[in-house]
Amino acid sequence: MKKYKRYTVENKKIPSTGRDMKVLILRPTQSAKPKEKTPGILWIHGGGYITGMAEMIYMSRAIGLVKKYGAVVVTPAYRLTWEAPYPAALEDCYAALKFLADHSDELGVNSSQIMVGGESAGGGLSAALCMYARDLGEVNIAFQMPLYPMLDDRDTDSSKDNHAPVWNTKRNHFGWKAYLGENYGQDVSPYAAAARQTDYSGLPPAYTFVGDIEPFYCETLTYVENLKKAGIPTSVDVYPNCFHAFDMLTPMRKISKQAAAEFEKQYLYAAEHYFAEQNHQSKQAQ
């Protein structure tokens, strides 16, 4: 498989709800571009909805898809909860998704292979974004990669009384309270907490992985189960004795390398098999 280690990063402002938002656009250099258009990936950073930055893309799983396989990746500097609670982050991510779809030609992206993914809160946002996009019907997403996603504002068997490294019950409660604000503890929308979804039909095929000692273990497996029940092609890898974001925080461990390799394998399968034609309603088609 050819590697595309040469890539460019563009810092661009795009319109979102009531503001301009920074996005980073990573793509192969002109000399390293694939001969045909490549999948376009919206990658959403983690941080429990309360912290993080777009520059986390450089330690994410998505950077390998640019370097090794020539993918185009867009990552948004979405609003964190100290700037604005839900739905600000979702609105920003949807604006970035629309940007990716509307400018697919100039970005060198195959518009029928728009994908979304992210880690942790970014995984939760990517799952919610798939639901939001499905229901609006403006952008069709071909594949989703919500890694160890933050999906459920309610305690699960693995998120309650969890004292694992990096992310635990106390931090999880704090993150959700900040994100949902006065709606915390209420019956919120699945766009706010994707685990609240009751209709999984029509969502994109999915791949994820998760460690079995982290808070999001149960909600990740429940999400996978619900997608499968709806007939959505979905697969998950579970890594024993692994804490939250182990692949990013301990990248040189054998199990982290295994997780990265399997993630890339799943991406390549999706790039060969999953397509979602757009409705030709984007700006570039008008």
Side-chain angles (χ1 to χ4, degrees):
M1 177 64 67
K2 182 177 181 179
K3 294 188 177 182
Y4 299 88
K5 287 189 177 180
R6 297 184 306 280
Y7 66 96
T8 62
V9 181
E10 180 182 0
N11 186 327
K12 187 177 182 67
K13 290 290 186 78
I14 67 170
S16 185
T17 306
R19 71 178 195 127
D20 287 335
M21 174 180 63
K22 181 181 81 172
V23 296
L24 300 180
I25 305 169
L26 288 72
R27 47 184 162 169
T29 60
Q30 193 70 33
S31 61
K33 281 184 178 179
K35 293 181 180 179
E36 299 179 355
K37 290 183 178 180
T38 186
I41 303 165
L42 180 71
W43 198 262
I44 307 171
H45 73 76
Y49 301 111
I50 53 179
T51 187
M53 65 187 89
E55 286 75 12
M56 288 170 68
I57 191 69
Y58 299 115
M59 61 186 294
S60 77
R61 293 275 61 80
I63 191 69
L65 306 184
V66 181
K67 290 180 176 181
K68 295 182 181 181
Y69 311 115
V72 172
V73 170
V74 173
T75 188
Y78 63 86
R79 282 169 288 181
L80 302 174
T81 51
W82 58 267
E83 297 176 272
Y86 171 82
L90 181 69
E91 291 172 344
D92 287 346
C93 291
Y94 187 71
L97 178 69
K98 282 281 290 175
F99 168 79
L100 177 56
D102 291 343
H103 297 84
S104 57
D105 279 350
E106 64 188 77
L107 293 173
V109 165
N110 180 348
S111 64
S112 68
Q113 288 199 297
I114 303 294
M115 303 179 180
V116 299
E119 296 99 351
S120 190
L125 278 166
S126 63
L129 189 63
C130 287
M131 299 168 186
Y132 191 59
R134 176 199 65 181
D135 296 345
L136 286 181
E138 294 178 324
V139 181
N140 293 325
I141 298 170
F143 189 58
Q144 57 173 311
M145 300 168 280
L147 305 182
Y148 34 88
M150 188 174 176
L151 301 167
D152 205 335
D153 59 307
R154 304 157 297 187
D155 280 342
T156 69
D157 286 345
S158 62
S159 68
K160 66 183 179 183
D161 300 322
N162 189 298
H163 305 286
V166 183
W167 198 252
N168 54 37
T169 301
K170 183 178 179 180
R171 291 176 177 175
N172 200 44
H173 287 171
F174 181 80
W176 278 115
K177 287 176 182 177
Y179 187 56
L180 299 178
E182 62 184 14
N183 294 314
Y184 180 73
Q186 306 299 314
D187 188 13
V188 299
S189 165
Y191 303 149
R196 299 279 192 159
Q197 184 61 259
T198 58
D199 178 12
Y200 289 80
S201 63
L203 291 173
Y207 171 72
T208 183
F209 67 82
V210 67
D212 68 356
I213 66 169
E214 77 142 278
F216 302 150
Y217 171 66
C218 286
E219 59 207 73
T220 299
L221 296 191
T222 298
Y223 184 62
V224 168
E225 181 182 0
N226 286 330
L227 287 170
K228 287 182 175 181
K229 285 180 179 177
I232 309 301
T234 307
S235 61
V236 59
D237 287 310
V238 175
Y239 292 98
N241 301 312
C242 284
F243 52 81
H244 188 65
F246 69 94
D247 62 309
M248 295 175 69
L249 298 175
T250 58
M252 300 311 295
R253 290 176 63 202
K254 181 178 179 180
I255 200 164
S256 298
K257 292 180 179 180
Q258 179 185 347
E262 185 59 31
F263 168 80
E264 291 177 8
K265 177 181 174 182
Q266 293 287 339
Y267 163 76
L268 291 174
Y269 181 88
E272 290 289 332
H273 294 89
Y274 297 137
F275 300 85
E277 297 292 336
Q278 300 305 320
N279 297 323
H280 305 293
Q281 295 176 345
S282 66
K283 292 178 182 177
Q284 69 182 17
Q286 294 175 351

